Amino acid sequence: MAARKTTSRNLREACIEEALGIIETSGVEQLSLRQVARRLNVSHQAPYKHFASRDHILAEIVARAYASFAAYLESRPRTGEPHEDLAAMGRAYFSYAASHPLQYRLMFGTPLPDPRRHPEMMRQARHAFSLLRDGIARLPERGGQDGPNRQVDLDALFIWSTIHGLASILQSDALGTLGLSETALQQAPGHALERLSRAMGPA
């Protein structure tokens, strides 16, 4: 991408945009504030006015990805029926993973900056997970109650690992080695959600 001039007023957002571009084209390993500055045609010190280190700009990008992901899940249609609403969340998860592959990889396939030093990133990540947890807690079979619940936590991990695993596989190059039909690939998310729905039914 050709370097371009920017102003101090929009430098912070420009840095984030360029950092995303570096990650998308070269991988997160190549991200540095010096490279961001070079692409923006500003001094090497300019990005440090807004980000203390490379990890700080990465944490901001990941926090925004989690916020976008959570907003996408929350925007799903709701029926008021807990099982159907949970299934709709699952469909939204698959849809987000397919339509935002870069953000999805950043959230779930990239070593994250130290969580202790980037609380906003962790707050956004936990908020996204809480949407799933709250949806499970509303199921009649789970008592429909909020608050700490070990079974709800275990169920949330079970559902997330299943959906995340399939969503990641559907983006993997290895999928092409299996010789599966397009019909099977298109039906896979719905099939997984149907199986999960059965698993989450009355014990």
Side-chain angles (χ1 to χ4, degrees):
M1 182 181 298
R4 68 172 185 271
K5 292 185 178 180
T6 187
T7 66
S8 58
R9 183 172 60 83
N10 63 7
L11 178 60
R12 189 175 193 278
E13 292 302 315
C15 286
I16 292 171
E17 180 182 342
E18 290 299 337
L20 267 173
I22 292 170
I23 294 170
E24 185 170 21
T25 58
S26 305
V28 70
E29 298 82 7
Q30 300 304 313
L31 175 62
S32 70
L33 291 182
R34 179 177 290 270
Q35 180 69 354
V36 168
R38 184 178 299 115
R39 288 166 63 114
L40 288 173
N41 194 29
V42 297
S43 74
H44 291 161
Q45 294 302 314
Y48 287 95
K49 297 177 182 177
H50 301 282
F51 303 99
S53 70
R54 174 258 194 198
D55 276 1
H56 283 78
I57 194 171
L58 178 58
E60 174 66 19
I61 290 170
V62 173
R64 292 186 181 198
Y66 278 120
S68 169
F69 176 54
Y72 195 93
L73 296 182
E74 290 184 302
S75 69
R76 73 193 186 280
R78 288 175 171 80
T79 66
E81 200 291 307
H83 282 282
E84 176 52 36
D85 288 346
L86 194 59
M89 187 185 301
R91 291 190 290 271
Y93 188 112
F94 281 118
S95 177
Y96 186 90
S99 58
H100 300 80
L102 176 58
Q103 286 78 8
Y104 189 77
R105 290 196 304 271
L106 283 170
M107 290 186 293
F108 303 124
T110 301
L112 299 180
D114 186 349
R116 296 168 297 182
R117 301 184 63 185
H118 304 284
E120 178 60 17
M121 179 185 72
M122 296 309 299
R123 187 183 73 81
Q124 295 292 351
R126 288 169 178 165
H127 171 60
F129 185 71
S130 74
L131 299 179
L132 172 58
R133 192 189 179 286
D134 293 347
I136 295 170
R138 284 192 287 271
L139 296 177
E141 298 83 7
R142 300 302 180 271
Q145 297 178 351
D146 296 327
N149 186 313
R150 184 173 63 87
Q151 187 60 50
V152 169
D153 290 341
L154 292 174
D155 285 340
L157 287 172
F158 165 61
I159 291 176
W160 179 38
S161 61
T162 301
I163 296 179
H164 170 68
L166 180 56
S168 299
I169 289 171
L170 291 174
Q171 294 187 18
S172 170
D173 292 339
L175 191 64
T177 68
L178 303 181
L180 299 176
S181 69
E182 282 298 319
T183 299
L185 297 179
Q186 292 171 5
Q187 293 178 344
H191 178 74
L193 291 174
E194 191 272 335
R195 293 290 184 173
L196 284 171
S197 180
R198 291 189 185 186
M200 296 303 296

